[in-house]
């Protein structure tokens, strides 16, 4: 089955070492798509060269590179990706992942349901253990289900969750037309969680499917861990304020 009504959006910031593995696995395990779009947030030239080299080896769909003259942040780059694409189905993925066989059809199967806004699957870490099989709990107190455990088939049901790992999730264009784009006040972290909860509060479902699998090689970006921690704290503070969690006792 061809999937020409699908665009795949990556945000890049100095991901030079991730690009070859990601693109080669995408080419191997994806039958087709319309465009692969990379929004680059002012990476160093070595990363741009890697994007050009491996991007132009792709044959399953088109390759588009959007270069920003400064680092605009993750949420703003995602919104650029939405505006620069045309397909109904949109896949948002990190470059530090590896695709596996059959990853896309189960996601599209769930997205075809009218009340479903976002879909994601099994996310393993580089050791082959679970990183995130859906984000569960409550909107305020969330956790990556199964994190650190072995996959023994204990999470093999399609089911509704609170949110999904930002490593890869997918949606439909009409969802953003109805509930709005990613909140650009998030420079890095929490933008997808806020969007998933916003969709839930609008009456839509966030779905985990065990039939789609990727590997997420953690800890490769951003380059500076102290910078990442700072953005995490700032985004978490804004997230809690926006969703009203600071007011809860």
């Amino acid at each position: 089955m061809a999937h020409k009504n699908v665009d795949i959006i990556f945000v890049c910031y100095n991901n030079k070492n991730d690009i070859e593995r990601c693109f080669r696995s995408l080419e191997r395990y994806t039958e087709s798509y319309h465009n692969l779009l990379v929004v680059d947030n002012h990476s160093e030239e070595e990363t741009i060269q890697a994007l050009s080299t491996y991007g132009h080896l792709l044959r399953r769909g088109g390759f588009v590179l959007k270069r920003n003259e400064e680092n605009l942040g993750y949420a703003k780059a995602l919104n650029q990706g939405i505006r620069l694409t045309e397909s109904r189905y949109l896949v948002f993925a990190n470059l530090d992942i590896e695709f596996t066989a059959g990853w896309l059809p189960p996601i599209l199967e769930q997205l075809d349901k009218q009340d479903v806004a976002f879909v994601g699957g099994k996310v393993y870490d580089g050791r082959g253990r679970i990183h995130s099989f859906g984000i569960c709990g409550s909107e305020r107190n969330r956790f990556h289900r199964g994190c650190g455990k072995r996959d023994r088939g204990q999470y093999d049901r399609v089911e509704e969750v609170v949110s999904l790992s930002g490593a890869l999730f997918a949606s439909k264009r009409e969802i953003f037309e109805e509930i709005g784009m990613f909140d650009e006040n998030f420079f890095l972290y929490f933008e997808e969680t806020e969007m998933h909860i916003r969709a839930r509060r609008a009456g839509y479902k966030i779905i985990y499917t065990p039939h789609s699998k990727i590997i997420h090689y953690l800890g490769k970006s951003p380059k500076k861990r102290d910078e990442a921690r700072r953005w995490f704290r700032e985004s978490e503070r804004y997230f809690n304020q926006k969703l009203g969690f600071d007011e809860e006792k």
Side-chain angles (χ1 to χ4, degrees), residues 64 103 150 195 198-199 233 244:
V64 179
W103 72 273
R150 296 186 183 276
M195 174 62 79
R198 197 191 322 164
R233 289 193 298 268

Side-chain angles (χ1 to χ4, degrees), residues 131-156:
H131 170 59
S132 182
F133 283 12
I135 296 176
C136 299
S138 65
E139 289 183 355
R140 181 176 185 177
N141 298 304
R142 307 165 308 279
F143 60 92
H144 289 278
R145 184 171 58 172
C147 186
K149 298 180 179 179
R150 296 186 183 276
D151 181 6
R152 305 184 188 280
Q154 65 270 51
Y155 307 116
D156 275 0

Side-chain angles (χ1 to χ4, degrees), residues 23-24 27 51-60 63:
F23 283 12
R24 287 193 183 280
E27 182 78 358
L51 286 169
S52 180
T53 297
Y54 295 109
H56 288 97
L57 294 176
L58 298 171
R59 297 291 181 266
R60 307 292 188 180
F63 173 70

Side-chain angles (χ1 to χ4, degrees), residues 140-203:
R140 181 176 185 177
N141 298 304
R142 307 165 308 279
F143 60 92
H144 289 278
R145 184 171 58 172
C147 186
K149 298 180 179 179
R150 296 186 183 276
D151 181 6
R152 305 184 188 280
Q154 65 270 51
Y155 307 116
D156 275 0
R157 296 185 305 165
V158 174
E159 56 189 309
E160 191 173 355
V161 292
V162 172
S163 184
L164 299 160
S165 168
L168 186 147
F169 61 89
S171 189
K172 298 172 282 200
R173 186 169 300 276
E174 60 263 32
I175 297 298
F176 301 101
E177 294 170 352
E178 179 178 341
I179 69 173
M181 306 286 272
F182 289 96
D183 185 339
E184 295 181 4
N185 289 299
F186 294 105
F187 186 86
L188 184 64
Y189 300 119
F190 286 92
E191 70 286 323
E192 80 283 351
T193 310
E194 187 277 328
M195 174 62 79
H196 298 162
I197 292 176
R198 197 191 322 164
R200 279 169 51 91
R201 293 182 176 184

